Amino acid sequence: MDRMISGTVTAETMPQGLAGARVEGWDAAGELQKPLVTGIVRPGGGFNLVLAESVAALIAERQIRLDLRVVYQGALLRLDKPVTWSAGQPGEGLVLTPRLGPDGRDPDGARTVHGTVTGRDGRPAADLLVQASDRDLRAEELLGEARTGRDGRYAIAYTARSYARAEKAAADLVVRVIGAGGETLYEPAPEDVLFNAAADVRHDIRLVQPFSPARSEYEALASTLAPLLGDVAPADLAEDEEHRDVTFLSREAGAEARRIEHFAVAHR
């Protein structure tokens, strides 16, 4: 049976309750690289998150704690207080309160630079370090950094306070890509600096020089399981009275059952 989580997104400065925003439920432990559930905020601020039966069972069995997040107009909003949910807790009446000022923006000037890093062949470049800095005439200040996911995507959040000076209303962003060995894989030319960057900037990067992509834990597990799956798709793996797929693969591959369950959920 599916499970529903419901609540309200409230913002005093926006009576409509951020209608059209997206609420996402992520594994708070960070083991999964995509949300387990998503839902759209309705006019008035209400939202519903419908957990598929298999996802609800996984959350209950593995005691996964969902970190609820709000994404509005492509930007992740900070909440006044973090809101999490676990199996066994009430699933109704959750209140998410984004930190917004009178102008409908984060009072600390929350900003984001995000995009996709690809290799020379156009394929996503995973597990690379992306750094964003603010450049002045003869100095730079690191604003934040993040690693690319399996899909090559990255997102770095920072605030206006990180670079606030009387004469500067926006950052002049320098975005670099660093390899697994600490080598610089991408250094922007002067004309590629993002001068007076907007609050939400998409900046895609295509690497020119070759690099050795790091093999993620997910990729290593996928490689190990591939010859054992046969004709069974990862999304169809089950653990019930009829099929004991997870138990079999765990013992055969020498991997934790929890990792195999997460692997299956990531394909659904």
Side-chain angles (χ1 to χ4, degrees):
M1 180 182 299
D2 294 346
R3 176 69 189 271
M4 180 179 293
I5 302 171
S6 62
T8 306
V9 177
T10 64
E12 293 182 0
T13 57
M14 302 188 72
Q16 296 85 0
L18 294 176
R22 187 172 68 252
V23 177
E24 301 178 343
W26 290 75
D27 174 13
E31 294 187 2
L32 294 178
Q33 298 183 9
K34 70 177 185 178
L36 287 164
V37 62
T38 63
I40 300 299
V41 178
R42 304 185 299 274
F47 70 88
N48 293 325
L49 302 178
V50 180
L51 294 169
E53 183 176 1
S54 58
V55 175
L58 177 63
I59 291 173
E61 182 178 351
R62 295 302 173 186
Q63 299 181 350
I64 294 175
R65 184 164 50 92
L66 283 184
D67 176 23
L68 300 186
R69 307 176 184 180
V70 179
V71 178
Y72 184 61
Q73 295 181 346
L76 176 65
L77 302 181
R78 295 185 301 161
L79 302 181
D80 276 343
K81 294 182 180 179
V83 177
T84 61
W85 179 87
S86 301
Q89 293 182 332
E92 304 82 27
L94 300 178
V95 178
L96 310 182
T97 307
R99 188 178 301 176
L100 298 175
D103 59 355
R105 299 180 180 180
D106 190 304
D108 292 331
R111 293 168 173 262
T112 307
V113 56
H114 58 92
T116 302
V117 180
T118 55
R120 291 193 299 180
D121 56 2
R123 295 182 180 180
D127 200 30
L128 297 179
L129 181 65
V130 182
Q131 297 180 330
S133 300
D134 175 38
R135 174 171 289 180
D136 288 331
L137 181 61
R138 294 186 177 182
E140 284 188 10
E141 180 180 5
L142 181 65
L143 299 177
E145 57 187 27
R147 288 198 170 274
T148 56
R150 295 197 313 271
D151 55 4
R153 293 184 181 179
Y154 74 92
I156 300 173
Y158 62 99
T159 68
R161 293 183 179 181
S162 302
Y163 60 85
R165 285 178 294 278
E167 73 283 3
K168 194 160 187 176
D172 299 324
L173 290 179
V174 176
V175 182
R176 294 184 176 88
V177 180
I178 310 299
E183 71 280 13
T184 299
L185 298 176
Y186 174 78
E187 174 72 30
E191 60 270 21
D192 293 326
V193 174
L194 305 176
F195 289 100
N196 299 313
D200 184 63
V201 178
R202 175 165 182 168
H203 183 54
D204 296 329
I205 298 172
R206 185 155 187 167
L207 303 177
V208 176
Q209 65 183 89
F211 68 98
S212 298
R215 196 182 193 196
S216 68
E217 182 179 349
Y218 175 91
E219 291 172 326
L221 181 60
S223 178
T224 300
L225 296 181
L228 304 176
L229 292 175
D231 296 330
V232 179
D236 295 333
L237 292 175
E239 184 68 18
D240 50 35
E241 293 183 0
E242 183 178 359
H243 301 291
R244 301 297 301 277
D245 301 334
V246 174
T247 298
F248 173 83
L249 292 173
S250 176
R251 294 177 179 177
E252 184 70 16
E256 295 181 11
R258 171 180 56 84
R259 292 178 56 207
I260 295 174
E261 289 174 337
H262 286 183
F263 174 80
V265 169
H267 282 81
R268 293 172 184 160

